[in-house]
Amino acid sequence: LWRQERAAEWPALPPALLKRAKRSFVEATPHPSRMQRSVAKALEALGFETRLEERTREGYSIDLMVLTRDGRSIAVEVDGPSHFLEESRTPTGATQLKRRQLRSFGHALVSLPFWEWEALHDKDPSERRRKQRQYLLTALRQRAPCQRKRAETEVQ
């Protein structure tokens, strides 16, 4: 992926090693978190179709692929604490690399950090749902700029 992203002229890996590396990259079994399922449920309540742990053509597993009514897709990464350096809001190197490569390959990407989602908690379930819906609509509009107009028309 590094060579592809950078359009590098570096020598290619031997075919057998490349095949093993790709297989190892894509064979990991993802396990959706409670937060991922919660975000998916809120997006579905807004009328979006979602797919948990969707694989990209490059082999990355996307936490949630959001499909818009006009057939476009937005990759949503639900970033829990393991995506950040200890006791900070700085993404780990692996998280930064994944984000950069997904964008480089043309994916509209929205990252939802856990502390923002947790801040939406409210004792009143209807108020919590209202906050979550507003947050997600704002995130889709502002953080996936190439999808902004499409996301805005989705909710009208």
Side-chain angles (χ1 to χ4, degrees):
L1 292 177
W2 184 268
R3 289 180 67 240
Q4 185 179 345
E5 175 197 6
R6 300 293 182 183
E9 296 296 324
W10 303 321
L13 292 174
L17 179 57
L18 180 61
K19 185 177 179 178
R20 285 197 327 262
K22 175 93 180 202
R23 187 174 50 239
S24 176
F25 184 61
V26 300
E27 282 184 353
T29 303
H31 300 283
S33 69
R34 182 180 312 155
M35 192 167 113
Q36 280 175 259
R37 289 189 296 274
S38 174
V39 171
K41 184 177 178 180
L43 285 164
E44 290 163 1
L46 287 166
F48 290 101
E49 180 184 338
T50 64
R51 294 189 205 141
L52 285 166
E53 300 298 346
E54 174 106 348
R55 284 268 178 218
T56 67
R57 64 188 169 277
E58 299 85 20
Y60 275 114
S61 178
I62 302 296
D63 290 341
L64 286 166
M65 191 63 78
V66 177
L67 305 173
T68 63
R69 290 184 189 110
D70 65 357
R72 310 229 179 232
S73 59
I74 301 171
V76 176
E77 284 294 292
V78 181
D79 291 336
S82 66
H83 289 269
F84 299 92
L85 299 177
E86 268 188 55
E87 299 184 32
S88 83
R89 293 184 174 180
T90 303
T92 63
T95 296
Q96 290 181 51
L97 176 65
K98 182 177 182 179
R99 289 177 184 174
R100 189 187 74 228
Q101 287 191 334
L102 287 170
R103 288 184 177 114
S104 168
F105 297 137
H107 297 281
L109 177 64
V110 174
S111 295
L112 306 178
F114 71 95
W115 63 86
E116 289 181 4
W117 189 252
E118 289 175 353
L120 303 173
H121 181 75
D122 196 286
K123 290 180 183 179
D124 178 5
S126 60
E127 180 62 13
R128 180 179 58 244
R129 286 188 298 271
R130 185 196 66 75
K131 288 178 180 180
Q132 289 173 343
R133 286 191 301 265
Q134 186 59 47
Y135 170 80
L136 290 169
L137 290 174
T138 300
L140 291 174
R141 288 178 184 143
Q142 293 177 351
R143 298 185 189 170
C146 65
Q147 296 286 334
R148 183 175 183 177
K149 289 185 181 180
R150 289 186 278 281
E152 287 171 356
T153 59
E154 290 281 314
V155 297
Q156 294 176 353

